[in-house]
Amino acid sequence: MTRSGPHSTELEQLRCLVQERTADLQRVKAEYDNYRKRVRRDRLAVREIAAANVLKALLPVLDAVDRALAHEPLTPGLKDIADSLQEQFGSLGVRSFGVVGDLFDPTCQDALTHHVCAAADRLVCSAVLRHGYRLGEHLLRPATVEVTGPAPPTRNAPAPKCGVRGASARADTGAGPAHQPG
C-alpha cells in the first residue's frame, strides 16, 4: 500500500521550496559575480585614469629635458637624466609620436602653421614643435606641428536661404556696405 495524502503533498511542497531557494541562490550568485566583475573593471579604469593624469603632469618635465638636450652641451648628468626619463616612461607604456614627414592627422596632432606648397597633394608635418604622447591607445597629449601641403579649399559664399535677401537686395535698399552716401 502506497502512502498518499498529507505526507506526499508535504514532500512535494518541500521539493518545490528547495527548487525556489536554489533558483534564488543561483540568481544572487550571478548578481554577485557580475558585481565583482564590474568593480574589477571600474578599479582598472580608475587606475588607468590616475596613471594617465600623473604622466600628463610629468610631460612638461620631459619637454624641459628635451629642450635642454637641444640647447645645452650634453653632459653625462644630463644624458643620464634624459635616458632615465625615456626608459621609465617607456616601461610604463608611454610612446611619443610626431616625426617630420608624417602625414598630418588632426585627431592626434595640432597644426600651428600651414605652409602652402602647390606641388603637394597632402598635408605633411614639416616641423615638430612638441612631441605628442600616448599611453596605450589613450592620447595623453597631441603633437604640435607645422604642416606643409596644398592650399585649403576656398569656401564659396553660402547660398541665401529662402526668405532672406542677398547682398544685392541690401545694396538696393541702402542697408549694406555697398551703399555710400552721395
Side-chain angles (χ1 to χ4, degrees), residues 92-95 134-139:
L92 294 171
V94 176
R95 301 288 176 248
R134 288 187 181 280
L135 177 60
E137 291 300 315
H138 182 72
L139 181 67

Side-chain angles (χ1 to χ4, degrees), residues 30-134:
E31 288 174 5
Y32 180 69
D33 287 343
N34 289 336
Y35 169 77
R36 279 193 343 212
K37 290 175 187 175
R38 188 172 56 252
V39 166
R40 185 180 314 125
R41 188 174 54 243
D42 290 349
R43 282 183 183 158
L44 289 174
V46 166
R47 184 181 304 151
E48 287 175 10
I49 290 168
N53 288 338
V54 169
L55 292 169
K56 278 183 194 178
L58 291 175
L59 289 179
V61 175
L62 197 57
D63 291 339
V65 169
D66 286 343
R67 281 192 305 277
L69 287 173
H71 298 292
E72 299 287 329
L74 187 62
T75 63
L78 182 58
K79 183 177 177 354
D80 287 346
I81 290 170
D83 291 345
S84 179
L85 268 174
Q86 290 292 342
E87 183 180 318
Q88 292 304 315
F89 270 71
S91 71
L92 294 171
V94 176
R95 301 288 176 248
S96 69
F97 64 91
V99 179
V100 172
D102 282 351
L103 290 178
F104 176 65
D105 182 359
T107 61
C108 62
Q109 296 170 331
D110 290 335
L112 291 186
T113 307
H114 178 194
H115 302 285
V116 176
C117 176
D121 61 339
R122 295 182 182 173
L123 290 175
V124 176
C125 297
S126 53
V128 177
L129 306 174
R130 191 173 73 172
H131 288 284
Y133 292 94
R134 288 187 181 280

Side-chain angles (χ1 to χ4, degrees), residues 162-173:
C162 291
V164 178
R165 295 197 290 190
S168 61
R170 274 196 309 266
D172 292 340
T173 62

Side-chain angles (χ1 to χ4, degrees), residues 3-19:
R3 288 181 140 176
S4 62
H7 184 63
S8 67
T9 57
E10 187 178 309
L11 188 59
E12 278 302 311
Q13 288 175 345
L14 287 175
R15 283 187 184 143
C16 188
L17 188 62
V18 166
Q19 286 176 348

